[in-house]
Amino acid sequence: MNSALLPLLLSGLVSPYAQHGTLDIRNVRLPAAQVACYERIELTVDLSATYSNPFDPEDIALDAQITLPDGKTISVPGFLDRPYQRVLTNGQEKVTPCGEPAWRVRFAPSQPGNYSAVIAVRDRSGKRESQPVHFSAATSRDPGFVRVSPRDRRYFAFDNGQTFFPIGENICWGGKRGTFSYDDWLPSLGRVGGNYTRFWLSPCWFTFALERPGKPEQGFGLGQFDLGNAWRLDYALDLAKKSGIRVMVCIDSFNILRDKPQHDCWKDSPHNALRGGPLQKPSDFWTNAEMDRLYRNKLRYLVARYGADTAVFSWEFWNEVDCIGESYATEP
């Protein structure tokens, strides 16, 4: 055990990603000095800080203040990442870490020209800022992000004005084969003209589930995110883009709040107080102050990690949330 973590562990700390050090930004690395417009650029931040939970911005927050070519400045949140590798054994995917956790900022420039980024880190001891790092963006043929069409809000269009008409299907989870299933499905969908699909981030046993029940000291439980599954989502989104497919990312499914006779998943939900969550009953999701705080933290992480990915077509808050209604209590 790292002796520097001992004071935090004695105070009740359980996160495996906790750090205890003097606040400092040691280095900010850029993969390249120039990228194409809408190409994702990833800054890696080598920092020292003191925090218990890297997924709680009240404990530690990393943000980049990015100055655009037109002089405007935007704030982009950062996130904790970890590299993984995958193997398929007897039809079952397993992912294991292949490197140490690292802080990153992702950004996709939309304007050609020169950019600068200043990294700001705040922990329980104070705040530090980096010196500016500079990069530029060149024009490209990438159509950009899909948005609601400015000409007619009933339709979608890319940033370059090209119409986007989604044609595809749900391939929300990969089963036991995990991302190896998507190696087959996504290129095949693209080859037959599909350009759209949907991924689910819950319930907790699905391929891309970020919130999973388990021991907090192993990185599980509400308030922490499964970095292995986050890596899986990165992998599948990269493959989707290569296959010409845009993805609706569904944040939650009815399963996590359902305690009815059919599909009773509440007993396994990380939201359940019996599994370490903040909720005594499913309906507390909508009124519990701690749940509100945790959900905002999750949205921040999703925006930080996937907001710069043009493969993300849209965000869906809930799948079939009406399935938790009383009318389902008497299903045959």
Side-chain angles (χ1 to χ4, degrees), residues 6-58:
L6 185 57
L8 296 178
L9 291 169
L10 291 176
S11 68
L13 176 69
V14 290
S15 170
Y17 306 112
Q19 296 291 327
H20 183 71
T22 302
L23 183 60
D24 186 30
I25 300 174
R26 294 184 287 241
N27 189 30
V28 179
R29 298 196 307 273
L30 278 169
Q34 185 179 73
V35 295
C37 282
Y38 302 111
E39 179 184 351
R40 189 179 70 198
I41 188 169
E42 185 172 280
L43 292 76
T44 300
V45 182
D46 180 12
L47 62 86
S48 170
T50 296
Y51 54 88
S52 299
N53 183 2
F55 308 111
D56 184 353
E58 295 177 12

Side-chain angles (χ1 to χ4, degrees), residues 92-108:
Q92 178 88 37
E93 181 185 52
K94 181 179 181 180
V95 298
T96 55
C98 58
E100 294 301 313
W103 288 91
R104 309 193 195 281
V105 173
R106 290 176 173 174
F107 176 68

Side-chain angles (χ1 to χ4, degrees), residues 27 48 81 198 235 241 263-264:
N27 189 30
S48 170
D81 179 31
R198 185 169 69 142
Y235 179 90
K241 187 169 183 179
H263 307 293
D264 178 8

Side-chain angles (χ1 to χ4, degrees), residues 45-325:
V45 182
D46 180 12
L47 62 86
S48 170
T50 296
Y51 54 88
S52 299
N53 183 2
F55 308 111
D56 184 353
E58 295 177 12
D59 198 4
I60 181 168
L62 184 151
D63 296 272
Q65 302 299 318
I66 299 180
T67 301
L68 310 181
D70 62 8
K72 295 179 181 178
T73 300
I74 61 172
S75 181
V76 178
F79 65 98
L80 189 73
D81 179 31
R82 192 171 194 180
Y84 282 75
Q85 60 189 5
R86 61 178 189 155
V87 294
L88 187 67
T89 305
N90 297 324
Q92 178 88 37
E93 181 185 52
K94 181 179 181 180
V95 298
T96 55
C98 58
E100 294 301 313
W103 288 91
R104 309 193 195 281
V105 173
R106 290 176 173 174
F107 176 68
S110 60
Q111 305 173 19
N114 296 319
Y115 292 77
S116 66
V118 174
I119 302 298
V121 178
R122 174 184 47 79
D123 74 355
R124 60 189 64 176
S125 69
K127 183 177 180 180
R128 293 290 185 275
E129 289 189 353
S130 73
Q131 293 297 314
V133 293
H134 302 277
F135 60 96
S136 64
T139 56
S140 74
R141 295 182 180 180
D142 192 311
F145 290 91
V146 177
R147 306 184 190 275
V148 174
S149 172
R151 293 181 295 172
D152 189 329
R153 295 186 62 82
R154 297 174 297 174
Y155 298 94
F156 301 107
F158 290 97
D159 279 318
N160 69 354
Q162 176 185 338
T163 297
F164 177 74
F165 194 91
I167 302 173
E169 58 184 347
N170 277 320
I171 46 176
C172 304
W173 61 92
K176 291 183 178 181
R177 297 181 70 244
T179 59
F180 287 92
S181 294
Y182 291 91
D183 287 343
D184 298 331
W185 297 340
L186 289 169
S188 295
L189 179 60
R191 283 194 295 269
V192 297
N195 62 2
Y196 160 83
T197 191
R198 185 169 69 142
F199 296 165
W200 287 11
L201 306 189
S202 81
C204 58
W205 58 89
F206 277 7
T207 307
F208 308 121
L210 296 185
E211 296 170 315
R212 296 179 57 205
K215 296 180 179 180
E217 63 269 23
Q218 295 178 350
F220 299 115
L222 213 63
Q224 299 192 77
F225 305 122
D226 185 330
L227 293 183
N229 284 353
W231 177 88
R232 282 183 165 115
L233 183 55
D234 276 333
Y235 179 90
L237 287 172
D238 288 346
L239 184 57
K241 187 169 183 179
K242 292 174 184 176
S243 303
I245 295 167
R246 297 308 195 265
V247 180
M248 173 185 281
V249 179
C250 179
I251 298 173
D252 283 304
S253 178
F254 74 91
N255 312 70
I256 62 172
L257 299 181
R258 176 119 186 212
D259 62 352
K260 302 306 177 186
Q262 301 293 325
H263 307 293
D264 178 8
C265 304
W266 173 244
K267 64 181 183 298
D268 298 318
S269 173
H271 299 69
N272 191 332
L274 296 177
R275 303 303 298 270
L279 307 183
Q280 297 296 326
K281 58 184 186 298
S283 60
D284 289 343
F285 181 92
W286 312 105
T287 58
N288 182 276
E290 176 63 5
M291 186 67 249
D292 182 71
R293 187 183 74 85
L294 292 171
Y295 194 82
R296 289 176 183 272
N297 290 352
K298 179 169 70 170
L299 293 181
R300 175 184 167 92
Y301 190 85
L302 291 173
V303 168
R305 184 154 189 159
Y306 306 108
D309 197 327
T310 56
V312 176
F313 157 51
S314 62
W315 301 94
E316 181 184 19
F317 282 108
W318 284 95
N319 168 68
E320 299 174 356
V321 73
D322 56 323
C323 285
I324 63 173

